[in-house]
Amino acid sequence: MRADRRIDVTSPGQPETAAGRHAEPEQVARELTSTWMNVVAASTYVAMTSRELEDYLHELVLMLAEALVAEPFDPRPGAEVGARMVTGALVGSDTLALSVRLLVEGLLDLGGPADRDRMRNLAALLSAMCTGYAEAVRRRTLDQQEDMKRALLSAKQRAEQVLRATETRFREVFTSSPTGIAITDLDGRFVDVNPALVEILGSQPDRLSGAGLSDYLAPDEAEDVTDPPRGRLKLVRDDGETAWVYVALSPLREGPGRPESYVLTVQDLSELQLLQGRFGHQLLHDALTGLANRLHFESAVETRLGRADPDLTVTLCCLNLDAFGALNNGLGHQAADRLLRTVAKRLVDVMAAENALVARTGGDEFAVLIEDSPTTPEIPELVDRINEALAEPEYVDGVGVAVNASVGVVRRPVAETSGAELFRAADAALHAARATGRRQWRGFDAERDARVQARYRDAAALPGAFEDGELGVGYRPVVRLDDRRTVAITAGLRWSGRPSGPLGERETMALAELTGQSVLCGPWMLRTACAHLPSWRSAMGMADAAALRVRLSRLQSADDDLVAAVLAAVEAAGVEPSLLEIGFDTGAVLEEFGSAADNLQVVAEIGVRTALCDWDGGLRQLDLLEHCPALSVVLGDPFAGRDDVGAALLRAAEASVGAAKGIGAVVSVDGIGTEQAAIRWAELGVDTAQGPLFGELTDVERALSGTGRPAQ
C-alpha cells in the first residue's frame, strides 16, 4: 500500500505555482481519508489498527480520484474499490451508503470545479463502486454458504465415523470381554448375550434366547434375591455345576423417561470363591498335619460348649511330645515332619469312637476336645490309649522311632466352665506333668494352680517393682561356728514392698530368675552392696578377709557382663577386690552354662574371692573344686526342719565337709535355723554359717549394729 502516493487532479487550464503545485488536492485527499475512516469506524467493526485503516482507505481514495480525472474515463476502478471494501470487511449495514454520500462531496472537492462531464463521470464511478461492492458481497455470501455446507458435511461424516467406531468398539468389547454381558428387556429376558456369559452359564446361545438370569438362581438363594437379580449370587449352570457371580444392572434410555432395556454384567467369582475357601481352610488348619490349628480349636471349644447339654461333661487333653527337639535335630526336619503327621493320624484314630476334635496347637503340641458320652473311658484309661498309640514305632530310613507325650487333662461339666478356662486348666495340668518328668500325665489341681498363678503374678510384677524402687538389698551376718562371732556380711535381694507381704532373699531371686530380671538386678545389687564395704570392714576391724559376700543366681553366674559389673562396683566403692567374695552357682559352672565357668576364672584373677554355692560334695563337684580357683564352698543345710538325723546323713555330710577341707576350701553352711543344727555342723568341721539362727535378712543399719558381737 503506497501511503506517500501523489496525484495530479487539477483540471486542464488550472493555474499552478512553482512552489505549491498539487498541495491543496493532496491535503483534501488526506482530509477525505480521515473523514471516511471515522464513518467506517462508526458503522462497522474493522479488525485493523487506526494506522492500517487510514492507509487502506487512503489507497481507495487515490484510486477513485485518479479514475475520476483519467483520460479517457474508465469506471472500472470504482468496481475494484467496492470489491476492496468487502475484502477489507468494511461491510456494516450502512457503511456503503455513508461512504457514497461522503465520496460524492469529497471527490468533487478534490477534482476542482465540477462540470456536467465530471458529474456524469463521478456518478458512473460510484455506481461501479456500488456494483463492485454488491458483487463482492454476493461472492462472499456464496463462499460462506459453501464453507458452511462443507463444514456440515464434514461434521456429518465425522459423526457417522464416530458412531461406526463406537458401535465397532462396543461390539468388540461385548464379544471379547471376559465379563458376561447381556442386553435384557424390562422383564429381565435376554435379548442379546456375549460369549463370556454363555460360558459362565455353561449353556448355548440359542438356549439363552428368551431366558433370564433368575432362571439360573440356586434354590437356596431364590427367595432372597431382588428382581431383577443383582449383587453376589449363586447360580446353577446348565451342566449342574455351581457358579458364584457378581451381577450389576444399568438401564438403557434412548430418551427421557423410562428405560427401554437393561445392560446386565455378570462377573464370574467361582475361582475367587474356591480360592477363598482354600485360604479359609489354611487359616483354620495346620498345613503339615491337616488338623485344626490353635485358632480354630479355641473357637471350636467355645462353640461346642455353647451348644452342648449343660448337664454333660467335656474332657480336654493337652499333649506335648517329649524330647521332640532331639528327634528333630537327630533325624532332620523331613523325618520330624513325617513323625508329626503320624502322631496326628494316630490321635485321630484313637478318638475315632468319640465325638472329638483333634488339633495341633504348636510345634510339638496337640490338643483333644471330647464331648463325653457313656462310653468315654476314664481319664487314666484315656491317657493310656493315647500313649500306647504313640509308642508304636514309626520306621524312618529303617530306624524305628517312637515318641512319648506328657499329658495334661481336665474334665468338667459344661455348665461350670468356659472355653478359655477349660483350655487354661488343661495347659496348667500339662505344665505340672512336664515338671515331674517324661511320659507323665496330670489332672488339674486347683490348689496347686492357685499357687503357681500367684507365683507367676509376682514374677510378672517384679520388673515394675524394681523400677518403682520396691526391691532392696538386705544383709545377714556370717558367723564362725567355733566362737559364733560375725566375720562377714552376706548381701541378698529382697522385695520389701510386695503388696502381699515382704519376700525373702531366695524367694525374690527365684522370681527374678523366671523372667530374667535377675540379670538386670545383678549389677545394681553389686554396686549397692559394695558401697557399704568400707562400713563392714571398719565395723569388723578386719583388713585381710572378705567382709562382704554376694551370692549369684544361675543366670547371674552365666551373665556375659558379670566381670565388668564386678570391676565397676569395686572401683566405685574404692575398696580392694579381696574384700569381696562372689558365690557362683555350682551347677552353672559345672555345666559350663553361658559364661559361668569363664566368669569364675576371670573374677578370681582380678583378686575377688570366689565360692561355689549349693555344693553337695558329689564326685564331679569335688573334681570341679579341685581344678577351679574357688576358695570356698557353701552347702545347703540338709538338717533344716529335722529333729532326728540318721547316721547315713551324718556320714554323708561329714564326707562332704572333709573332702572340701581336704582340698583346702573354706566350708560354709547356709540356712541353719536351730541350735542343734549349728552344733552338728560345728562338730563336722564347718568353718562359717548363716541362717535364721544368726539373723534374718535386714537393712544395712540393723546389720551393722550387730557386727563384732557374738550372735545371740
Side-chain angles (χ1 to χ4, degrees), residues 189-503:
R189 302 291 103 184
F190 295 140
V191 176
D192 194 5
V193 296
N194 71 341
L197 183 58
V198 174
E199 183 178 353
I200 291 172
L201 297 179
S203 185
Q204 298 296 327
D206 56 345
R207 295 190 59 181
L208 293 180
S209 180
L213 194 64
S214 57
D215 298 335
Y216 289 86
L217 291 174
D220 55 346
E221 284 213 349
E223 296 182 358
D224 300 328
V225 175
T226 60
D227 187 21
R230 67 190 72 187
R232 189 183 180 95
L233 303 175
K234 183 169 69 172
L235 307 179
V236 179
R237 295 157 41 105
D238 281 346
D239 56 10
E241 296 292 330
T242 298
W244 285 92
V245 299
Y246 185 85
V247 180
L249 196 67
S250 299
L252 279 179
R253 291 183 172 87
E254 297 182 3
R258 292 187 58 194
E260 301 295 330
S261 56
Y262 290 103
V263 175
L264 196 71
T265 57
V266 182
Q267 185 178 1
D268 190 356
L269 304 179
S270 299
E271 292 187 4
L272 179 61
Q273 185 75 14
L274 179 61
L275 190 61
Q276 286 177 340
R278 289 176 181 173
F279 282 160
H281 184 273
Q282 292 175 2
L283 180 64
L284 299 176
H285 292 79
D286 175 53
L288 178 64
T289 64
L291 299 178
N293 60 17
R294 189 181 188 95
L295 177 66
H296 185 196
F297 186 74
E298 290 178 347
S299 177
V301 170
E302 293 286 358
T303 301
R304 294 197 176 199
L305 288 177
R307 73 186 185 195
D309 186 344
D311 296 330
L312 298 180
T313 60
V314 291
T315 303
L316 180 59
C317 303
C318 288
L319 297 83
N320 184 257
L321 303 183
D322 296 331
F324 184 76
L327 295 175
N328 194 8
N329 294 331
L331 300 176
H333 295 306
Q334 291 185 350
D337 289 347
R338 177 178 170 183
L339 197 58
L340 286 172
R341 287 192 291 267
T342 299
V343 169
K345 182 179 182 304
R346 290 178 180 177
L347 287 175
V348 171
D349 292 342
V350 168
M351 300 298 162
E354 302 292 338
N355 184 10
L357 175 64
V358 182
R360 182 186 178 200
T361 56
D364 57 354
E365 296 179 354
F366 294 83
V368 180
L369 176 68
I370 305 171
E371 297 182 44
D372 297 334
S373 68
T375 59
T376 301
E378 294 298 323
I379 290 179
E381 182 182 351
L382 183 65
V383 174
D384 287 342
R385 289 183 184 182
I386 292 174
N387 279 320
E388 288 174 5
L390 299 183
E392 184 69 23
E394 168 77 7
Y395 286 89
V396 179
D397 296 332
V399 179
V401 181
V403 294
N404 296 316
S406 298
V407 185
V409 188
V410 60
R411 176 170 287 172
R412 286 183 177 175
V414 173
E416 298 179 5
T417 190
S418 65
E421 178 58 28
L422 191 69
F423 209 105
R424 196 196 67 78
D427 199 46
L430 174 61
H431 282 289
R434 295 184 63 184
T436 58
R438 306 290 187 184
R439 204 179 186 276
Q440 301 295 314
W441 74 270
R442 285 289 183 272
F444 179 69
D445 184 343
E447 293 183 1
R448 180 185 181 281
D449 181 64
R451 294 194 301 272
V452 171
Q453 289 298 309
R455 187 165 182 259
Y456 283 137
R457 282 194 298 270
D458 282 342
L462 193 65
F466 177 64
E467 292 294 330
D468 294 340
E470 296 178 6
L471 298 185
V473 178
Y475 306 92
R476 69 171 76 243
V478 180
V479 302
R480 272 198 310 259
L481 283 180
D482 57 0
D483 60 5
R484 303 293 178 88
R485 297 190 67 85
T486 300
V487 295
I489 291 292
T490 295
L493 193 65
R494 65 174 183 168
W495 190 354
S496 56
R498 178 168 167 258
S500 55
L503 208 58

Side-chain angles (χ1 to χ4, degrees), residues 475 488-489 491 529-542 547-548 699-701 703-705 707:
Y475 306 92
I489 291 292
C530 286
H532 296 124
L533 252 174
S535 301
W536 307 134
R537 186 179 182 187
S538 174
M540 292 182 291
M542 302 178 68
L548 175 64
D699 56 40
V700 61
E701 289 80 7
L704 280 173
S705 65
T707 58

Side-chain angles (χ1 to χ4, degrees), residues 1 3 30 37 48-56:
M1 186 176 299
R30 282 293 178 183
M37 185 177 68
M48 300 181 191
T49 65
S50 296
R51 180 62 181 172
E52 290 172 342
L53 180 59
E54 182 179 5
D55 291 344
Y56 192 80

